[in-house]
Amino acid sequence: MTDTATETVAERIARILCRHKVEFIFAQSLPSAVILAAEAAGIKQIAYRQENMGGAMADGYARISGKVAVVAAQNGPAATLLVPPLAEALKASVPIVALVQDVECDQTDRNAFQDFDQIELFQSCAKWVRRVHVPNRIDDYIDAAFTVAASGRPGPAVLLLPADLLRAPAAPPASPRSKCLGHWPLDRTRPPEEVLDEVARLIASAKAPIIVAGGGVHGAGAPEELTALQHEASLPVITTNMGKGVVDEFHPLSAGVLGSLTGPRSLGRHSLPLIEEADLVILVGTRTNQNGTDNWRQIANSATVVHIDVDPIEIGRNYEAVRLVGDAAETITALRTALGRVDLARRNRERPRLEERIAAIWSAFERDRRDVATATSRPIRPERVMAELQSVLTPDMTIVADASYSSMWVVGQLRAPGAMRFITPRGLAGLGWGVPLAMGAKVARPQNPVIALVGDGGFAHSWAELETIVRMQLPVITILLNNGILGFQRDAETVKFGRYTTACHFADVDHVQIARACGCPAARVEDPDDLTDLLERSIRAPTPMLIEVMTDPEAHPPLSLFANMDAAA
């Protein structure tokens, strides 16, 4: 590495990134001074093809690695294309530091090439945006960006770096810094004892308590603590879409994902009474958003709500609640200690009946979906694809889904055989993020299988990254459900307007040829009996794989929005 007496600001940035244990930077060679210095320092560039995909790759990496992800971009158009993935990360509470080049210091507001008000640009999609003006503050600003991203409710921080500043000599910092801030959560906070004791008493006395667990449990690394709470207090657990995988769904007290998946052939159709009848609802790491609560109508007004969240603003946003402000892992651990001071005899007495009820819920779900999960028809039912994927599912896998129907098939049809990671872009639910999220996840855990489920609509946003997958040697398995339509758009418009627009149908596309043109192995599946063997071989292979499955365009997930339409069919 360059001698500190002669290093530039860009080289100092690389040195600081190494201090924060940054191993990868998601970039497309710009800012060139930073990327050259980073690569010289041993930081590997994951070079994306499309400028709107790098942020999503960083997102997937951060979710799986437990480290703050770093993405870099050029000023102007590339910066504007960072807005969507950073907005997803902001809503989904994912820590990313974005290093964005800016025009030279004396060129601002002079209509310089690709000049734009980037502070204003990023204000809506980041926790914090700053422009560095002087070389001797670079240590302060990089550390501040990591601190903001990883502390409190995690999210993106953006640092704007004028091109001439990066080439300038880096003056020694007034106060040398040595701490590593590259992991998250950066701080572990917990509520006061008196509130924990209050909640312990509520759990002990409740007739029908239930836990609703969200993505914040994954973010805090709290699945183990939540599983212990579930077991020790005999509490049933349902999860939101982003919370899927925080508990083993084969545990006798786990009732899977609920949210808006309550239509015919859904698990939620049978599990919904668990939350509707609850007199105590314990929310853990969830925003209580529209999709996670089916339009905020599942929790009874008479129920007492307890809300554990690191973000105090989320507590009470939609449901008045007993406030447990703190890190999910630390708070659950403290709550388990408080529960040791109360009598849980009532919970223990109720457990056999509750386990029997939840087992009946899963059995009813299996009966309801058996005809589609075992269907031999062509085009292939997506439920059959999920059944075949279920047969090879293991807890060490990471399952990633694109937005829209892909997410719903994954969270509603797969049953987690242990606490494991599912990634769905449910912050803003933008199409096209499935593949780059999976790529970031694979960078984070190269030794573990990563499987992405995407639709043909979403895949069109990101198929150029197949070349990146091959070039960067990321053996991601992509299952492409090709039904030739924008399924949700067509179905939602049909329900709301009785017809749909001409944008919903696509021309035929041979995605296998696209993949092979990029050097990625690929196969098209038209017979459902071919799926399991192909999946097993793809998981064992050291190379990426695209599996294009020709699926039934009339199939859709059992969302509550379509319940009346399905009942009339």
Side-chain angles (χ1 to χ4, degrees):
M1 189 175 272
T2 307
D3 189 296
T4 56
T6 60
E7 68 184 356
T8 65
V9 169
E11 290 164 338
R12 174 67 61 79
I13 289 171
R15 184 184 294 275
I16 299 166
L17 295 180
C18 289
R19 170 162 60 86
H20 295 316
K21 300 294 190 288
V22 173
E23 299 176 272
F24 304 96
I25 186 166
F26 298 87
Q28 199 180 61
S29 197
L30 293 157
S32 299
V34 171
I35 304 305
L36 286 167
E39 290 188 325
I43 298 171
K44 184 175 181 178
Q45 178 183 194
I46 306 297
Y48 50 81
R49 286 295 295 266
Q50 296 169 266
E51 291 170 331
N52 58 340
M53 294 291 120
M57 293 178 198
D59 181 333
Y61 175 80
R63 295 196 203 203
I64 296 300
S65 68
K67 301 176 75 171
V68 178
V70 179
V71 65
Q74 165 74 317
N75 50 293
T80 67
L81 291 169
L82 261 185
V83 169
L86 293 188
E88 166 68 24
L90 182 69
K91 296 290 285 186
S93 307
V94 179
I96 297 173
V97 168
L99 303 178
V100 181
Q101 184 167 293
D102 209 345
V103 298
E104 297 191 1
C105 294
D106 66 349
Q107 295 177 353
T108 301
D109 295 328
R110 298 184 67 187
N111 289 329
F113 180 64
Q114 295 187 333
D115 186 18
F116 196 74
D117 186 348
Q118 296 185 149
I119 291 179
E120 186 73 19
L121 174 70
F122 289 113
Q123 288 285 8
S124 66
C125 64
K127 292 176 66 178
W128 180 92
V129 186
R130 294 293 188 276
R131 189 174 195 260
V132 184
H133 294 281
V134 292
N136 64 347
R137 292 295 309 281
I138 192 64
D139 296 68
D140 300 342
Y141 276 108
I142 296 288
D143 280 19
F146 275 83
T147 300
V148 169
S151 62
R153 177 175 176 174
V158 179
L159 203 56
L160 306 178
L161 304 168
D164 56 335
L165 181 88
L166 295 172
R167 302 188 300 269
S175 301
R177 294 172 174 268
S178 61
K179 298 293 185 183
C180 173
L181 305 171
H183 61 278
W184 68 292
L186 189 58
D187 306 306
R188 299 277 190 179
T189 58
R190 52 172 285 181
E193 289 292 337
E194 58 268 23
V195 187
L196 292 163
D197 287 336
E198 177 189 356
V199 172
R201 291 191 294 271
L202 288 170
I203 292 172
S205 62
K207 295 179 181 178
I210 192 168
I211 293 173
V212 180
V217 178
H218 280 307
E224 186 176 339
E225 288 80 4
L226 182 64
T227 298
L229 176 63
Q230 177 187 36
H231 173 70
E232 293 165 2
S234 301
L235 291 167
V237 175
I238 62 173
T239 74
T240 66
N241 299 322
M242 287 184 62
K244 187 175 181 68
V246 297
V247 291
D248 179 355
E249 290 180 330
F250 284 87
H251 188 287
L253 289 173
S254 295
V257 174
L258 181 56
S260 57
L261 288 166
T262 59
R265 294 199 187 100
S266 70
L267 175 68
R269 188 179 192 182
H270 304 284
S271 63
L272 180 59
L274 288 174
I275 191 168
E276 290 180 330
E277 298 166 10
D279 62 339
L280 177 65
V281 179
I282 304 166
L283 306 171
V284 188
T286 170
R287 297 170 292 150
T288 62
N289 65 340
Q290 184 176 18
N291 289 343
T293 60
D294 200 13
N295 292 287
W296 309 282
R297 60 189 180 189
Q298 292 175 341
I299 298 175
N301 290 333
S302 59
T304 298
V305 176
V306 172
H307 198 160
I308 300 171
D309 206 281
V310 73
D311 186 352
I313 297 173
E314 290 300 337
I315 300 176
R317 179 189 291 275
N318 293 309
Y319 302 98
E320 188 174 50
V322 179
R323 301 173 61 84
L324 291 180
V325 180
D327 170 78
E330 190 73 17
T331 301
I332 293 171
T333 298
L335 179 57
R336 289 171 56 206
T337 300
L339 285 166
R341 298 190 287 268
V342 298
D343 184 358
L344 293 175
R346 182 173 195 168
R347 298 298 327 125
N348 295 330
R349 286 195 305 269
E350 288 294 318
R351 182 166 183 155
R353 180 195 62 80
L354 189 56
E355 290 183 353
E356 184 178 338
R357 183 179 183 185
I358 291 173
I361 287 169
W362 284 104
S363 295
F365 172 50
E366 295 296 344
R367 286 194 304 272
D368 286 354
R369 67 169 175 169
R370 184 172 296 127
D371 61 331
V372 288
T374 60
T376 59
S377 56
R378 305 183 192 185
I380 301 170
R381 290 287 304 199
E383 297 94 337
R384 175 67 189 272
V385 180
M386 295 297 97
E388 301 304 320
L389 180 55
Q390 181 73 51
S391 71
V392 300
L393 200 61
T394 55
D396 66 325
M397 291 179 177
T398 299
I399 306 298
V400 183
D402 209 331
S404 196
Y405 281 174
S406 298
S407 290
M408 297 300 99
W409 291 126
V410 162
V411 302
Q413 296 293 318
L414 295 180
R415 189 174 182 183
M420 60 181 291
R421 284 312 304 263
F422 294 82
I423 299 180
T424 54
R426 304 310 302 172
L428 282 182
L431 275 179
W433 292 340
V435 168
L437 283 169
M439 294 168 68
K442 190 64 177 178
V443 172
R445 289 185 188 168
Q447 73 282 6
N448 290 1
V450 175
I451 299 176
L453 188 87
V454 303
D456 52 337
F459 187 58
H461 291 257
S462 54
W463 62 30
E465 300 307 332
L466 288 174
E467 185 275 335
T468 309
I469 285 174
V470 172
R471 172 169 40 86
M472 301 304 303
Q473 299 179 22
L474 300 173
V476 172
I477 300 166
T478 303
I479 301 174
L480 168 61
L481 304 182
N482 184 355
N483 61 4
I485 61 168
L486 280 174
F488 179 82
Q489 199 63 33
R490 181 200 64 179
D491 295 338
E493 287 177 3
T494 299
V495 167
K496 295 175 181 178
F497 304 105
R499 63 190 192 279
Y500 53 88
T501 79
T502 56
C504 294
H505 283 272
F506 302 134
D508 291 336
V509 176
D510 189 338
H511 299 91
V512 169
Q513 293 297 331
I514 292 172
R516 289 175 178 168
C518 295
C520 177
R524 174 175 282 191
V525 176
E526 297 180 281
D527 183 342
D529 291 337
D530 294 337
L531 275 166
T532 299
D533 179 64
L534 185 54
L535 282 168
E536 289 174 345
R537 285 190 284 113
S538 300
I539 291 167
R540 292 193 300 267
T543 57
M545 183 69 182
L546 174 76
I547 302 173
E548 181 180 28
V549 185
M550 308 308 291
T551 53
D552 185 353
E554 299 307 314
H556 57 248
L559 296 166
S560 60
L561 176 64
F562 306 139
N564 292 335
M565 179 175 70
D566 290 340

